[in-house]
Amino acid sequence: MTQNHSNFKRLTNETAITLAKKLGLVNADANLKCNEIGDGNLNYVFHITDTVTNKGIIIKQAVPYAKVLGESWPLTLKRAAIEANALIHFRSYCPEFVPQVYYSDEQLAITVMEDLSHLKIVRTGLIDGDSYPLLSQHIGEYVAKTAFYTSDYHLEPSAKKEVARHFTNPELCKITEVFIFTDPFFEELPGDFEVELTDAAKNIWNDQEVILEVAKLKQSFETEQEALLHGDLHTGSIFASETETKVIDPEFAFYGPVGFDLGQYTANLLFQAITRNGAGKEEIFSHLHEFWNAFEETYTELWEAQNKSPFRHVKGYLPYLLTKFKKDAFGFAGCELIRRTIGLSHVADLNVIEDKVSRIAAKTSTLEIGTFLIKKREELDVPALIEALKQRTLP
Ligand code: SR1
Ligand code: MG
């Protein structure tokens, strides 16, 4: 369906400041500066600060195409409203981990929100070697709360379906379906990788067991409506410090399988586990344990205290569900590892490795671990995954 963009106008630094003043979110007499700081793939982000008080706000604007792909990939402006609504929804369940939205405008595709510039994007922080002692505990709690509170175990099933209708997000889901679940697994479809990875890529394309498992995972992504997901929960979607964690950018939000958010975060920790050595690697293993423990503990607490389903006390139901989430998550994590290595959207964790031999070794390991996760997801748990990672140390 084509969208009418007649009321849409791209913001500039000047018009962003005018808007902030008009909304009364900054002092009209203040000396303000504005920088466009968006480094993501899809949107523009304006950071407005009062040069005296240093207080700021963020204005995020979507454009009618994917910024990174250019105007050849038109993209709905509705994603801005989905993002604003998802932030509001998620914040109602875990205000400690989600920024506040001050204003949104569907026509201009704008979300005005809390300034988080005292925090750092986690992908950058982890690459820089910063420590985040509470990060994985926080993200485990965040995923458990958003997954439980938006599910049929908490909402009336008819109310859940109504929420799901508001978060129908076909165009952003299509990006995931193509970029994560399709293109990387077929030689003839678009891809982007270093020539030295050709044999490793061919191993995946020619492995019919992997391709079949990816088909099953893609089907799960397309058809299961377990909970309202963030939909793009990689470490570039998280701001943090040693004590604080905020999850941003839920424009890919939709009702899907809980394992997808769990898998995205797991995979993005794994890039660090693969590229680090010694104590740094052990630190990421601790993150994996903390994340999964926090998720399972919080989800179990919510299940026991607030589950409305008549089946809640049935022996084995909760363990069945937690095992399902984990199996799905490991499979989705495998797809994420592979797509960030041979697909169209790479990650800095791997690309910042300057030494070519080390970089290719890290990317080869990433592809092997991705394949392993997809094939073995049914029988794996976190300790077994960590053991497998220990077998693959960089030269
Ligand atoms: C064209 S968008 C590529 C990727 O960037 C986003 O953050 C999502 O991860 C998407 O797959
Ligand atoms: Mg994003």
Side-chain angles (χ1 to χ4, degrees), residues 111-140:
T111 308
V112 185
M113 67 185 112
E114 189 179 339
D115 179 14
L116 299 173
S117 56
H118 60 295
L119 307 175
K120 194 164 170 181
I121 285 289
V122 167
R123 189 185 306 288
T124 312
L126 290 175
I127 292 170
D128 293 346
D130 298 347
S131 278
Y132 295 106
L134 298 177
L135 171 73
S136 290
Q137 163 82 26
H138 287 170
I139 298 298

Side-chain angles (χ1 to χ4, degrees), residues 232 234 237 249 251-252:
D232 196 25
H234 55 76
S237 298
D249 278 5
E251 67 201 309
F252 284 75

